[in-house]
Amino acid sequence: MSLKAFDYESLNENVKNCQYAVRGELYLRASELQKEGKKIIFTNVGNPHALGQKPLTFPRQVVALCQAPFLLDHPNVGMLFPEDAIARAKHYLSYTSGGLGAYSDSRGLPGVRKEVAEFIEQRDGYPSDPELIFLTDGASKGVMQILNCIISDQKDGILVPVPQYPLYSATISLLGGTLVPYYLEETEDWGLDVHNLRQSVAQARSQGVTVKAMVIINPGNPTGQCLSIANLQEILRFCYDERLALLGDEVYQQNIYQDKHPFLSSKKVLMDMGAPISKEVQLVSFHTVSKGYWGECGQRGGYFEMTNIPPKTVEEIYKISSIALSPNVPAQIFMGLMVSPPKPGDISYDLFVSESKGILESLRRRAKIMTDGFNSCKNVVCNFTEGAMYSFPQIKLPSKAIQTAILAGKVPDVFYCLKLLEATGISTVPGSGFGQKEGVFHLRTTILPAEEEMPEIMESFKKFNDEFMSQYGFITT
Amino acid sequence: MSLKAFDYESLNENVKNCQYAVRGELYLRASELQKEGKKIIFTNVGNPHALGQKPLTFPRQVVALCQAPFLLDHPNVGMLFPEDAIARAKHYLSYTSGGLGAYSDSRGLPGVRKEVAEFIEQRDGYPSDPELIFLTDGASKGVMQILNCIISDQKDGILVPVPQYPLYSATISLLGGTLVPYYLEETEDWGLDVHNLRQSVAQARSQGVTVKAMVIINPGNPTGQCLSIANLQEILRFCYDERLALLGDEVYQQNIYQDKHPFLSSKKVLMDMGAPISKEVQLVSFHTVSKGYWGECGQRGGYFEMTNIPPKTVEEIYKISSIALSPNVPAQIFMGLMVSPPKPGDISYDLFVSESKGILESLRRRAKIMTDGFNSCKNVVCNFTEGAMYSFPQIKLPSKAIQTAILAGKVPDVFYCLKLLEATGISTVPGSGFGQKEGVFHLRTTILPAEEEMPEIMESFKKFNDEFMSQYGFITT
């Protein structure tokens, strides 16, 4: 009997080969336990509102009014909404033809793209062209679309940091391309060594792979580092020398928890380097409304900006954007608000600043509590979270634990994370889901649990961990 | 000098091969003319709100409140929102963990999926399992994801009606598969002849193509027909005999403008046929919030329901859904509201019914005005729009017009539609964008322009058309 289209055996092998650990075995088990009534602390995904972060008031007022335009001229609207939110809602509705219920241009609303360009100009000090900015349903969708354009088959390679956010490995698998790993150096605050990069490229080329582009995640996910200007310059020079495009995942650019390494955009560093590099390196940079102090993950909004991408290619990207008609319009409004928040003097300015500062300062404190907590545990070492939303401690698993895991048919860090979940309800992602050096183990947590719960969570982690290490005799190979 | 990743020449050929006429040459020219100040009537895409359709009040009130949850307990909320909208917003927020700003499960909120299952049960009279319903960012994204699972390469074929909505041709190109066309019969109200289907399959197989699935669009896009029960039974039996999966694009199921052919879901007809067919045919059905009397295109909400799909495959589809984390949450709420609208006795019931009836009845009248208008034109014949949102008149182009077009380097119907656009501002899509029989020409318009503007638009069309036909001497080959 011949197979049918949806029989497992006949599915696209690229689909079957994908791995997406952030919602993998650990998440599925956590969901089961939650159904059984266990209290689960979901730190598997950077989903701030799910862990109690409140939305910023002003943007929500504006989008609520855009959804309910019949309120804008209602005599009582001022009893529930401040004047500046009403004005802003009218402003954004004027960008649409037909409000939030109409498809926008497939690249997003021109007015919002203009606001994004102004934000980028302000941030970097260089011009930005709205025609080269496309709005997307979250940054992930943008990354997938861009990779789709440049990966034809397995001879096309993409340099991806290890550890990496599995969006990249999963998308490259789905598109049938080749992931070319380059390792971040844990002992150097997850910095990046260009010599290693060259080796990775040389090795891939020797295997017949055409290395097309390099991904950087800055600030790092899961690793939390902020790349230094020197490192970014080295990367851009490397891309120039090797004729690689650069994909800059910069979704955590607002999430910075120290002053030594401020966020620097790839675009700015590229432009600062001047010609020929600034005119040659093809760069696509990604941003989102899901992170920062916004955390509006569920809205699915993002953008990408293209630099040095040929016009004919921009047209092709526009064409494939149009197949699904348009990104969702409400999230486009969020993106507009994110890049043009209330200004001093606006009615909502003070509230907006106090809310956003409150969130950022608390994240900064939580980053520290978490790093310190992990470093107080037996057989655990952890770099400080300079930026982003994650802590990525190394778990030095005792040999006996590794053997037990292998006997149980589990990857050792999956084994550890499952035990942690069952014992404490803390749902993490094993380091193997992000990639790590052979024989070294990690886990990723977000730093997002509520600040007041953080000490208890870290205590509960420490209790579990230290007992686990004791049970397996501490000794590592 | 070696090519760089984003140089046009090195892009993925599948991307370059995509065609998406709904936003193709005609749309781009119309956008240019609009920028130059010309009044354009965009009938290229089914985008009701862009042509003045007002959103339904109750769903917008509920979603606005979900965006602004801080209003729910505000003492003045009752001055702007009715009680049932407040209650419904609380109900939907209780489905989330963290409101609209939190990622949902990658399949969508379990509570909404349950409401969708109840709607399907009510509609079809057969059980529906929420675990087999996935919410999506519009139906298009669902179709793309499902086709991605079953197309590996060009040996995988998908039967697609011609004329068809170019989502299918574009997606199949993008995935590198093979479109196997089957022709709808214009002289039989765009019905479908199973003998032709068998021929199409046989021919594809003789060329080494594995035909995996068949797409039906019911009600038809661009053709506007509603498939009869006999036709649906033939199709399902054919799928059973040939071991093909069926993809049922049913996004226009609320848009019915006659009583002879009510909408029948593929699921219901399949279940009515009983075993073995009902247990064997793999079916995925698609729906959306963008069409019906909702027209909430910009929100990007939809779902698909899977029938007879093996659990291991469902898991794979879940896994690839998770790569982009979750569909946007506000549109999930719209989907919930669409499948469980206000009930008799609810405060908002009367308003909801009068708004939705008003829209549907007007669409019904517009369908008739448009068909009659086209049929009053020289060298134009047009089937009645039984359902969906489109009119698809055949334009019998004079031989001289065809020769002139070819000399100008244009596909003849593109030539005609461009002239129409320049003369009248009416932005349509040439039939060649949907596929048509050799030597036969069409255009697609939506029936969505405001009812009061319809007579004038049709007059303006007739004036252009009749002059065009006269200019080129009427005579067809």
Side-chain angles (χ1 to χ4, degrees):
Chain A
M1 204 61 143
S2 67
L3 287 171
K4 289 187 282 190
F6 289 99
D7 291 348
Y8 180 77
E9 295 73 15
S10 58
L11 296 182
N12 182 344
E13 289 297 325
N14 291 340
V15 166
K16 290 192 263 186
N17 290 338
C18 282
Q19 297 293 335
Y20 192 72
V22 171
R23 297 230 164 150
E25 178 176 1
L26 260 289
Y27 169 73
L28 296 175
R29 178 70 187 132
S31 302
E32 267 174 34
L33 288 171
Q34 189 183 39
K35 265 196 194 160
E36 291 165 14
K38 189 172 173 75
K39 191 195 164 194
I40 302 295
I41 302 147
F42 281 101
T43 74
N44 59 303
V45 58
N47 195 6
H49 292 208
L51 291 172
Q53 183 179 309
K54 292 271 167 298
L56 299 169
T57 304
F58 179 74
R60 288 298 193 95
Q61 287 169 329
V62 173
V63 176
L65 284 167
C66 289
Q67 286 285 13
F70 40 78
L71 293 183
L72 287 168
D73 297 313
H74 192 288
N76 294 332
V77 65
M79 303 184 76
L80 288 181
F81 294 94
E83 259 176 59
D84 56 349
I86 297 167
R88 197 65 93 83
K90 288 180 179 171
H91 163 77
Y92 283 120
L93 286 175
S94 79
Y95 284 171
T96 69
S97 33
L100 303 192
Y103 295 123
S104 70
D105 186 274
S106 306
R107 298 166 295 187
L109 296 164
V112 172
R113 288 155 58 214
K114 193 159 161 281
E115 292 186 6
V116 171
E118 286 159 6
F119 156 77
I120 294 173
E121 281 184 20
Q122 191 100 29
R123 183 193 67 187
D124 294 342
Y126 291 99
S128 171
D129 180 354
E131 297 294 303
L132 301 175
I133 292 163
F134 284 22
L135 305 182
T136 56
D137 287 305
S140 300
K141 283 282 165 69
V143 168
M144 294 172 86
Q145 190 181 340
I146 289 296
L147 287 173
N148 197 3
C149 290
I150 60 173
I151 296 177
S152 300
D153 54 40
Q154 61 184 26
K155 75 170 182 349
D156 291 330
I158 309 291
L159 273 167
V160 173
V162 174
Q164 55 109 27
Y165 175 53
L167 164 65
Y168 295 96
S169 48
T171 304
I172 294 167
S173 289
L174 191 60
L175 296 167
T178 294
L179 187 150
V180 181
Y182 68 90
Y183 287 89
L184 302 175
E185 291 303 324
E186 184 161 14
T187 52
E188 290 166 39
D189 285 334
W190 297 112
L192 177 166
D193 181 341
V194 175
H195 294 293
N196 292 348
L197 261 180
R198 279 189 215 286
Q199 282 179 344
S200 297
V201 170
Q203 197 187 339
R205 286 181 178 157
S206 76
Q207 290 163 354
V209 171
T210 307
V211 183
K212 295 196 134 178
M214 171 172 178
V215 172
I216 58 172
I217 308 172
N218 179 35
N221 174 6
T223 42
Q225 83 285 22
C226 295
L227 292 177
S228 67
I229 185 164
N231 228 181
L232 282 163
Q233 285 169 342
E234 282 182 307
I235 290 164
L236 285 159
R237 181 168 294 280
F238 174 76
C239 287
Y240 174 74
D241 290 343
E242 302 291 338
R243 301 180 69 74
L244 301 178
L246 185 65
L247 306 184
D249 179 337
E250 302 179 336
V251 298
Y252 297 102
Q253 59 188 270
Q254 285 184 334
N255 298 92
I256 307 296
Y257 311 124
Q258 38 72 47
D259 306 313
K260 196 174 127 203
H261 289 144
F263 169 72
L264 286 166
S265 77
S266 305
K267 167 99 178 283
K268 177 182 168 44
V269 177
L270 176 62
M271 291 299 128
D272 281 347
M273 290 173 84
I277 296 184
S278 64
K279 293 194 183 304
E280 282 289 334
V281 174
Q282 298 179 334
L283 169 67
V284 185
S285 308
F286 301 90
H287 200 7
T288 185
V289 302
S290 302
K291 310 298 169 185
Y293 39 84
W294 292 67
E296 291 281 8
C297 301
Q299 313 281 355
R300 311 311 296 118
Y303 76 76
F304 57 82
E305 186 197 22
M306 297 172 278
T307 306
N308 296 327
I309 306 295
K312 274 185 79 175
T313 295
V314 174
E315 272 176 41
E316 291 296 313
I317 298 172
Y318 184 14
K319 183 184 70 182
I320 63 163
S321 298
S322 73
I323 302 175
L325 292 158
S326 82
N328 88 75
V329 180
Q332 298 184 38
I333 310 296
F334 275 104
M335 184 46 87
L337 288 156
M338 184 169 175
V339 296
S340 50
K343 290 179 188 52
D346 291 353
I347 301 165
S348 298
Y349 179 74
D350 288 344
L351 177 65
F352 183 84
V353 169
S354 92
E355 287 175 344
S356 48
K357 268 184 77 169
I359 292 166
L360 263 188
E361 285 171 1
S362 167
L363 283 172
R364 190 184 264 247
R365 290 189 296 269
R366 282 180 268 173
K368 187 160 165 24
I369 296 171
M370 201 159 233
T371 311
D372 291 349
F374 283 130
N375 282 321
S376 79
C377 295
K378 304 279 188 207
N379 287 26
V380 177
V381 289
C382 187
N383 285 333
F384 176 61
T385 301
E386 295 184 337
M389 289 185 171
Y390 311 98
S391 189
F392 196 64
Q394 185 182 144
I395 313 293
K396 295 174 181 282
L397 291 177
S399 315
K400 271 197 199 165
I402 295 174
Q403 287 157 19
T404 310
I406 291 168
L407 281 174
K410 295 283 177 203
V411 176
D413 55 8
V414 174
F415 176 80
Y416 176 91
C417 291
L418 279 170
K419 294 270 181 205
L420 172 67
L421 172 67
E422 308 273 349
T424 65
I426 303 172
S427 164
T428 61
V429 187
S432 48
F434 304 92
Q436 51 200 352
K437 290 190 174 166
E438 184 74 26
V440 179
F441 302 103
H442 297 83
L443 60 81
R444 189 188 81 167
T445 67
T446 69
I447 60 167
L448 297 176
E451 192 172 348
E452 61 275 18
E453 292 174 20
M454 200 62 111
E456 194 187 325
I457 291 170
M458 294 314 295
E459 240 169 72
S460 148
F461 177 87
K462 184 176 166 59
K463 181 165 175 294
F464 160 79
N465 175 79
D466 292 2
E467 281 174 18
F468 179 97
M469 296 301 171
S470 156
Q471 182 188 347
Y472 290 102
F474 297 109
I475 300 157
T476 60
T477 46
Chain B
M1 203 64 144
S2 67
L3 288 170
K4 290 187 281 190
F6 289 99
D7 292 347
Y8 180 78
E9 295 73 16
S10 58
L11 295 182
N12 182 345
E13 290 296 326
N14 291 339
V15 166
K16 290 192 265 186
N17 290 338
C18 281
Q19 296 294 335
Y20 192 70
V22 172
R23 296 231 165 151
E25 180 177 359
L26 260 291
Y27 169 72
L28 296 175
R29 180 68 188 134
S31 303
E32 268 173 33
L33 288 172
Q34 190 182 39
K35 265 194 193 162
E36 292 165 14
K38 190 173 172 74
K39 193 197 164 193
I40 302 295
I41 303 147
F42 281 102
T43 73
N44 59 303
V45 56
N47 195 6
H49 292 209
L51 292 173
Q53 183 178 309
K54 292 271 167 298
L56 299 169
T57 304
F58 179 74
R60 288 297 193 97
Q61 288 170 329
V62 172
V63 175
L65 285 166
C66 289
Q67 285 286 14
F70 38 79
L71 294 183
L72 287 168
D73 298 313
H74 193 289
N76 295 333
V77 65
M79 303 185 77
L80 287 181
F81 295 94
E83 257 177 61
D84 55 350
I86 298 167
R88 196 67 93 83
K90 289 181 178 171
H91 164 77
Y92 283 121
L93 286 174
S94 79
Y95 283 171
T96 70
S97 33
L100 303 191
Y103 295 123
S104 70
D105 186 275
S106 306
R107 297 166 296 186
L109 296 164
V112 172
R113 289 156 57 215
K114 193 159 162 282
E115 292 186 7
V116 171
E118 286 159 7
F119 155 77
I120 294 173
E121 281 183 21
Q122 192 100 28
R123 183 193 68 188
D124 294 341
Y126 291 99
S128 170
D129 180 354
E131 297 293 305
L132 300 177
I133 291 163
F134 284 21
L135 305 182
T136 56
D137 286 305
S140 300
K141 283 284 166 69
V143 167
M144 295 173 85
Q145 190 181 342
I146 289 296
L147 286 174
N148 197 2
C149 290
I150 60 174
I151 296 176
S152 300
D153 55 40
Q154 60 183 30
K155 73 171 184 347
D156 291 329
I158 309 291
L159 273 167
V160 173
V162 174
Q164 54 109 27
Y165 176 53
L167 164 66
Y168 294 96
S169 48
T171 304
I172 293 167
S173 287
L174 192 59
L175 296 167
T178 294
L179 186 150
V180 181
Y182 67 90
Y183 287 88
L184 302 176
E185 292 302 325
E186 184 161 14
T187 51
E188 288 165 40
D189 285 335
W190 297 113
L192 178 165
D193 181 342
V194 175
H195 294 293
N196 292 348
L197 260 181
R198 276 189 217 286
Q199 281 180 343
S200 297
V201 171
Q203 195 186 340
R205 285 181 180 157
S206 76
Q207 291 163 353
V209 171
T210 307
V211 183
K212 293 196 135 178
M214 170 172 178
V215 172
I216 58 173
I217 309 174
N218 180 35
N221 175 5
T223 41
Q225 83 285 21
C226 294
L227 293 177
S228 67
I229 185 162
N231 229 183
L232 283 163
Q233 285 170 342
E234 281 182 309
I235 291 164
L236 285 160
R237 181 168 295 280
F238 173 76
C239 289
Y240 173 75
D241 289 343
E242 303 291 338
R243 300 180 70 74
L244 301 177
L246 185 66
L247 306 184
D249 179 335
E250 301 179 338
V251 298
Y252 296 101
Q253 60 189 269
Q254 283 183 337
N255 298 91
I256 306 296
Y257 312 124
Q258 39 71 49
D259 304 313
K260 195 175 128 202
H261 289 144
F263 169 73
L264 286 167
S265 77
S266 304
K267 168 99 178 280
K268 177 182 169 44
V269 177
L270 176 62
M271 291 300 128
D272 281 348
M273 290 173 85
I277 296 184
S278 65
K279 292 192 182 308
E280 282 290 333
V281 174
Q282 297 179 334
L283 169 68
V284 185
S285 308
F286 301 88
H287 200 6
T288 185
V289 301
S290 302
K291 309 300 170 184
Y293 38 85
W294 292 66
E296 291 282 8
C297 300
Q299 313 281 355
R300 313 309 297 119
Y303 76 74
F304 56 82
E305 185 197 22
M306 297 172 277
T307 305
N308 296 326
I309 306 296
K312 273 185 78 176
T313 296
V314 174
E315 271 176 44
E316 292 297 312
I317 298 172
Y318 184 14
K319 183 183 72 184
I320 62 162
S321 299
S322 72
I323 301 175
L325 293 156
S326 81
N328 89 75
V329 179
Q332 297 184 38
I333 310 296
F334 275 104
M335 185 46 88
L337 287 157
M338 183 169 175
V339 297
S340 50
K343 290 180 189 54
D346 290 354
I347 301 166
S348 299
Y349 178 74
D350 288 342
L351 178 65
F352 183 85
V353 169
S354 91
E355 288 175 343
S356 48
K357 267 184 78 171
I359 293 165
L360 263 188
E361 285 171 1
S362 167
L363 284 171
R364 189 185 266 246
R365 288 189 297 268
R366 282 180 268 174
K368 189 162 164 19
I369 295 172
M370 201 158 233
T371 311
D372 291 348
F374 284 128
N375 282 321
S376 79
C377 294
K378 305 276 187 209
N379 287 24
V380 177
V381 287
C382 186
N383 285 330
F384 177 62
T385 300
E386 296 185 337
M389 288 184 173
Y390 310 98
S391 189
F392 197 65
Q394 186 183 144
I395 314 293
K396 294 172 182 285
L397 291 177
S399 313
K400 271 198 198 163
I402 295 174
Q403 286 157 18
T404 310
I406 290 167
L407 281 174
K410 296 284 177 202
V411 176
D413 55 8
V414 173
F415 177 79
Y416 177 91
C417 290
L418 280 170
K419 293 270 181 205
L420 172 68
L421 173 66
E422 308 275 348
T424 65
I426 304 173
S427 164
T428 60
V429 187
S432 48
F434 304 93
Q436 51 202 353
K437 289 190 175 166
E438 184 74 25
V440 179
F441 302 103
H442 298 83
L443 60 79
R444 189 189 82 166
T445 67
T446 68
I447 59 166
L448 297 175
E451 192 173 348
E452 60 275 18
E453 292 174 20
M454 201 63 112
E456 195 187 325
I457 292 171
M458 294 314 294
E459 240 169 73
S460 147
F461 177 85
K462 184 177 167 57
K463 181 165 174 293
F464 160 78
N465 175 80
D466 291 2
E467 281 174 20
F468 179 97
M469 296 301 170
S470 158
Q471 182 186 348
Y472 290 102
F474 297 111
I475 301 160
T476 60
T477 45

